[in-house]
């Protein structure tokens, strides 16, 4: 079964919402979707996106704390941005699926995380963890 363009749009927007992208209006999501569709190169490293190679697939980069949209990046830049924290985004985020706060640490390209019921618990853990 082939999806229509309208179904593809709806699925991508729902996926982004699930990942935590927060926009003011539906049309803001549509604008980002069409920007994502026409993007051919990473906005950070300028490498051409590829479909078969997941390393260079398109990713919608957003702030995991605020839900704010940032860029269309390749998977490598998106992961490196999180690991190096070059964007200044704290590594504490709200995890919608589990309705919890998550402290995330990247070590050797692997994600390690611990979940908490409140943001304050996650921040206290982060401070303690990063002192050691």
């Amino acid at each position: 079964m082939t999806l229509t363009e309208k179904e593809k749009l709806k699925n991508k927007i729902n996926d982004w919402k699930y990942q935590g992208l927060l926009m003011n209006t539906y049309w803001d999501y549509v604008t980002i979707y069409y920007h994502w569709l026409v993007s051919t190169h990473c906005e950070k490293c300028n490498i051409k996106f590829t479909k078969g190679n997941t390393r260079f697939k398109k990713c919608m980069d957003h702030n995991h704390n605020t839900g704010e949209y940032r860029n269309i990046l390749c998977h490598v830049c998106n992961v490196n941005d999180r690991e190096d924290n070059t964007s200044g985004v704290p590594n504490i985020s709200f995890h919608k699926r589990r309705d919890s706060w998550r402290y995330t640490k990247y070590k050797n390209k692997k994600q390690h995380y611990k979940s908490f019921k409140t943001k304050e618990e996650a921040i206290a853990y982060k401070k303690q963890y990063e002192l050691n």
Side-chain angles (χ1 to χ4, degrees):
M1 180 176 104
T2 306
L3 295 176
T4 66
E5 288 304 311
K6 192 173 185 177
E7 290 169 326
K8 289 177 186 177
L9 167 75
K10 181 182 174 185
N11 289 345
K12 184 56 75 176
I13 289 173
N14 285 338
D15 183 43
W16 288 342
K17 285 180 180 179
Y18 178 77
Q19 292 174 27
L21 180 65
L22 298 174
M23 303 304 296
N24 292 328
T25 69
Y26 170 77
W27 296 108
D28 292 335
Y29 288 105
V30 172
T31 301
I32 291 171
Y33 175 76
Y34 284 104
H35 175 71
W36 181 84
L37 266 185
V38 300
S39 294
T40 58
H41 291 75
C42 176
E43 294 177 1
K44 188 170 186 180
C45 73
N46 205 33
I47 197 159
K48 185 176 172 108
F49 295 125
T50 59
K51 289 188 179 185
N53 186 342
T54 57
R55 289 185 49 151
F56 302 112
K57 70 177 181 175
K58 286 185 205 180
C59 293
M60 179 276 308
D61 180 38
H62 69 291
N63 181 320
H64 287 255
N65 250 5
T66 65
E68 178 183 27
Y69 165 78
R70 289 191 293 233
N71 297 314
I72 304 296
L73 300 179
C74 69
H75 181 71
V76 172
C77 286
N78 195 29
V79 169
N80 287 340
D81 187 51
R82 285 184 287 175
E83 185 170 311
D84 300 337
N85 204 15
T86 57
S87 63
V89 178
N91 46 0
I92 295 175
S93 60
F94 187 68
H95 196 262
K96 288 185 176 189
R97 183 172 41 176
R98 292 185 180 85
D99 210 20
S100 64
W101 287 89
R102 177 179 280 187
Y103 169 77
T104 306
K105 186 75 175 173
Y106 291 88
K107 289 183 180 176
N108 302 324
K109 307 281 186 210
K110 291 185 180 177
Q111 181 183 36
H112 304 274
Y113 64 89
K114 185 169 175 75
S115 295
F116 300 90
K117 291 185 180 191
T118 68
K119 185 176 184 180
E120 290 73 26
E121 290 174 350
I123 292 170
Y125 180 82
K126 175 183 177 178
K127 287 178 183 176
Q128 180 185 7
Y129 182 83
E130 291 182 352
L131 284 176
N132 298 331

